[in-house]
Amino acid sequence: LYDKKVIYSKPRLRYPSGGGCGIIGAFSGLPLGAHPCKEAKPMPTPITASTLSALVAAALAQKPTRPLVLALDGRCGSGKTTLIKLANGLLQPDSGSIRIAGMKPGVESKAIVSYLPDADWLPGWMRVEQLVEMFGDFYKDFDPARANEMLANLELSSKDVLKTLSKGNREKVQLILAMSRNARLYLLDEPIGGVDPAARDYILNTILTNYSRDASVIISTHLIEDVEPVLDEAVFLKNGRIFAHRSVDELRETEGMSVDAYFREVFKC
């Protein structure tokens, strides 16, 4: 029950060796600001401690004008969700260690990481205003004024019970709560999959304009065309390996195509 102190938490899971979505290895922290090679690899690179730590370092690297936005792209089963769950401590690596800003995933790292899972997870019996209050109790960096402003802009009533909302509107509420934190790192797993196109434009613009300059966003999505205008970098996963890690501008210039077109070419059946 919600009493401002207790919230339901799923038990930790552990994939056996070789299980899950094919991801192997873990993060091993690099100094903040360390910048990985962004060039496409001639052969797919295994997701090992060094390659994953490079992704974390890139995501946390400070940008001078706006948040860094990095997309994780790949077919279903390539390891996108597994990667994000590892970074949140919801799965345990078979080997190596994970570091976010020098910390193992846990209470300390979650104080600077805002995580949006790819499924409904909030109590459906609660009103939206209760959820806003709950997030304010749990997270010191949560901004209720920002949350209420986004709810109003997307025409969502704070008096509504969550389970009475449509699937798309439930996803909007969950995304608003995640993005109303003043976090350093946002990990968003399919954040706009069920959101209508008009709301997508508002949400993506919010990511770029409402957050501190040293914040970073990692988005796992299949809707590359929709998020491409806000992307700085893209990491392509294929069969549990990093197929390419590219700067969006460099990819367009070198390949002569959009990120979405590149994805369709590389992963076509």
Side-chain angles (χ1 to χ4, degrees), residues 40-242:
K41 309 295 189 300
M43 293 294 290
T45 304
I47 300 182
T48 63
S50 59
T51 54
L52 287 183
S53 64
L55 295 184
V56 173
L60 290 176
Q62 295 188 5
K63 290 290 176 179
T65 57
R66 64 175 179 81
L68 176 142
V69 183
L70 182 148
L72 289 177
D73 301 316
R75 288 180 177 173
C76 294
S78 62
K80 302 183 298 296
T81 294
T82 299
L83 177 60
I84 290 177
K85 286 184 175 180
L86 283 167
N88 280 282
L90 298 176
L91 297 176
Q92 297 302 305
D94 294 322
S95 62
S97 62
I98 302 171
R99 293 292 185 273
I100 298 178
M103 298 177 287
K104 293 179 63 176
V107 174
E108 291 79 10
S109 68
K110 289 176 183 179
I112 66 168
V113 176
S114 184
Y115 168 50
L116 179 69
D118 63 344
D120 289 345
W121 66 278
L122 294 171
W125 55 267
M126 295 182 71
R127 295 192 305 276
V128 174
E129 62 184 0
Q130 290 177 307
L131 293 169
V132 171
E133 182 182 1
M134 181 178 71
F135 265 65
D137 289 337
F138 272 89
Y139 301 107
K140 293 181 179 179
D141 62 0
F142 183 76
D143 186 344
R146 180 188 294 172
N148 287 322
E149 179 184 1
M150 286 194 280
L151 287 169
N153 288 338
L154 291 175
E155 300 180 349
L156 296 169
S157 172
S158 62
K159 300 296 183 181
D160 286 340
V161 176
L162 186 65
K163 66 181 178 182
T164 66
L165 299 177
S166 66
K167 180 178 184 296
N169 282 341
R170 289 197 304 272
E171 291 187 6
K172 290 178 187 177
V173 170
Q174 294 187 157
L175 181 58
I176 286 170
L177 293 172
M179 299 306 294
S180 293
R181 290 184 56 194
N182 292 304
R184 284 200 59 197
L185 179 62
Y186 299 85
L187 298 174
L188 312 178
D189 197 354
E190 293 290 351
I192 58 174
V195 177
D196 57 88
R200 288 175 195 170
D201 292 341
Y202 171 81
I203 290 167
L204 293 173
N205 182 64
T206 298
I207 291 174
L208 291 180
T209 58
N210 282 18
Y211 304 99
S212 60
R213 292 183 300 175
D214 64 346
S216 300
V217 183
I218 294 181
I219 301 176
S220 168
T221 183
H222 290 115
L223 300 174
I224 304 172
E225 185 176 9
D226 290 296
V227 303
E228 184 168 345
V230 305
L231 293 182
D232 296 295
E233 301 178 10
V235 174
F236 299 91
L237 304 181
K238 193 172 186 179
N239 300 323
R241 294 168 176 259
I242 298 175

Side-chain angles (χ1 to χ4, degrees), residues 2 29 39 67 119 125 205 211 246 264:
Y2 170 60
E39 300 297 324
W125 55 267
N205 182 64
Y211 304 99
R246 309 285 292 270
R264 294 173 185 273

